[in-house]
Amino acid sequence: MPARKIIIDTDPGQDDAVAILLALASPKEIDVLGITAVAGNVPLSLTAKNARIVCELAGKPEVKVFSGCDTPMARALVTAEHVHGKTGLDGPDLPDPTMPLQDGHAVDFIIETLRQHPAGTVTLCPLGPLTNVATALKQAPDLAARVQEIVLMGGAYFEVGNITPAAEFNIYVDPEAAEIVFKSGIPITMMPLDVTHKALVTKPRNDAFRALGTKAGIAVAEMTDFFERFDKEKYGSNGAPLHDPCVTAYLIKPELFSGRHINVEIETTSELTLGMTVADWWRVTDRSPNATFIGEIDADGFFDLLTERLANL
Ligand code: BDR
Ligand code: CA
């Protein structure tokens, strides 16, 4: 099978960084056409910089990185320095990037790339708020019929929220964008907190990254050391959840995951539950299924895959 062509839309973020490293370490399965940065965990200037830091960490300065939307479609930006630190990539000491940002806007890159490739051959992988992707769909409605699939990290149902009691961060930051994406008719596979909270970096798993002894392995271990302090305090869990790498791992080994094809609607008006992904897991409505909601992961298989692939960098 030829490598699957993808665009990674991201707000790095330590877990975004690991997702990107996994993709760049897996060229047989994944062909990264470009990386588009969006404002989210930290402001856009930092996410656009961090995306390039990660490409250079992977030894791939030739990857095209574009800067995108700096604010959500209809709201002020909410960021998550309390989780990811001031830079968004706190933990390891990584050099500033020397590779350039590409000319042009991320949204134009998404539109042009989807129009240049045959319909149904490019997958979008959003790892942050959905602003860039929804803006592209709004500007170019023909794109909906051209996207092969959207595999995204976002949402939560049984696991409820991490930024408010009801909402997961990526959806909460730009619910209007999420609504456009979930109503687009594009096949969607989503990695909600329900599954990512089962992908915990326990100490032995982090030790395995560090034991690779490579720049990438050590950096991943240090990133995880940094952001796990937050989740350990909050959830009392055994380590930090590696949210975003679930997306790229799914592209490589979908058999590690399982879920249900159901209807998912986005709350955009209630103050109390803004950004909630109302998932009809029990199929109690007759609303049409629009997303595969992943709930289970083979966590050992996932961490084996990550460790094996990071060793390639
Ligand atoms: C999501 O929010 C961000 O903080 C992470 O990078 C991940 O994409 C988890 O809610
Ligand atoms: Ca992210």
Side-chain angles (χ1 to χ4, degrees):
M1 267 234 296
R4 190 158 169 181
K5 295 185 191 310
I6 70 167
I7 297 173
I8 301 178
D9 187 71
T10 177
D11 63 336
Q14 292 90 347
D15 61 321
D16 302 71
V18 181
I20 295 167
L21 292 172
L22 176 60
L24 294 179
S26 306
K28 273 202 195 122
E29 295 93 352
I30 300 180
D31 177 5
V32 180
L33 300 176
I35 297 180
T36 51
V38 68
N41 286 323
V42 285
L44 182 66
S45 58
L46 287 172
T47 60
K49 176 178 168 190
N50 292 346
R52 287 175 292 146
I53 290 177
V54 175
C55 291
E56 290 188 359
L57 176 63
K60 314 258 180 200
E62 68 282 6
V63 176
K64 293 182 187 163
V65 177
F66 294 83
S67 178
C69 298
D70 61 357
T71 40
M73 294 181 98
R75 298 168 190 277
L77 177 66
V78 174
T79 52
E81 284 88 355
H82 59 294
V83 184
H84 300 274
K86 233 178 143 187
T87 66
L89 270 192
D90 279 21
D93 192 11
L94 296 169
D96 279 356
T98 55
M99 63 186 276
L101 263 181
Q102 298 292 308
D103 292 336
H105 196 281
V107 168
D108 294 329
F109 171 73
I110 293 171
I111 294 172
E112 282 156 23
T113 306
L114 281 160
R115 284 181 177 162
Q116 275 160 13
H117 287 79
T121 62
V122 176
T123 295
L124 300 179
C125 299
L127 310 177
L130 289 157
T131 321
N132 285 343
V133 174
T135 304
L137 290 169
K138 204 171 157 195
Q139 284 181 19
D142 59 298
L143 291 197
R146 306 193 68 81
V147 179
Q148 180 179 0
E149 185 181 0
I150 293 179
V151 183
L152 65 86
M153 191 280 137
Y157 193 61
F158 296 104
E159 196 65 12
V160 294
N162 61 356
I163 184 78
T164 72
E168 181 280 328
F169 179 79
N170 289 341
I171 307 295
Y172 176 77
V173 172
D174 199 341
E176 284 74 19
E179 186 176 43
I180 290 175
V181 169
F182 277 80
K183 286 197 182 312
S184 67
I186 299 168
I188 295 174
T189 297
M190 64 189 283
M191 298 290 166
L193 298 180
D194 303 70
V195 66
T196 67
H197 280 178
K198 293 172 183 157
L200 296 179
V201 193
T202 56
K203 181 153 186 328
R205 288 169 177 165
N206 212 29
D207 287 346
F209 294 147
R210 206 183 311 270
L212 292 172
T214 57
K215 266 206 306 193
I218 293 167
V220 167
E222 291 177 351
M223 287 186 216
T224 308
D225 281 342
F226 178 83
F227 81 92
E228 76 170 6
R229 88 217 175 285
F230 173 79
D231 289 282
K232 272 186 169 166
E233 272 165 33
K234 184 169 169 190
Y235 297 109
S237 58
N238 222 351
L242 271 188
H243 306 283
D244 295 339
C246 289
V247 167
T248 42
Y250 176 81
L251 299 178
I252 301 166
K253 277 199 166 183
E255 63 274 20
L256 294 175
F257 299 89
S258 61
R260 286 189 187 181
H261 190 53
I262 57 171
N263 176 270
V264 178
E265 302 286 329
I266 311 294
E267 176 57 63
T268 58
T269 55
S270 157
E271 229 177 89
L272 195 59
T273 58
L274 185 70
M276 185 174 182
T277 45
V278 179
D280 189 6
W281 181 262
W282 299 113
R283 300 189 177 112
V284 293
T285 72
D286 54 8
R287 296 195 284 258
S288 303
N290 58 346
T292 300
F293 186 102
I294 301 292
E296 293 298 330
I297 181 173
D298 167 356
D300 286 333
F302 169 77
F303 281 96
D304 287 349
L305 174 72
L306 257 175
T307 312
E308 169 204 310
R309 296 305 168 97
L310 289 176
N312 294 340
L313 296 175

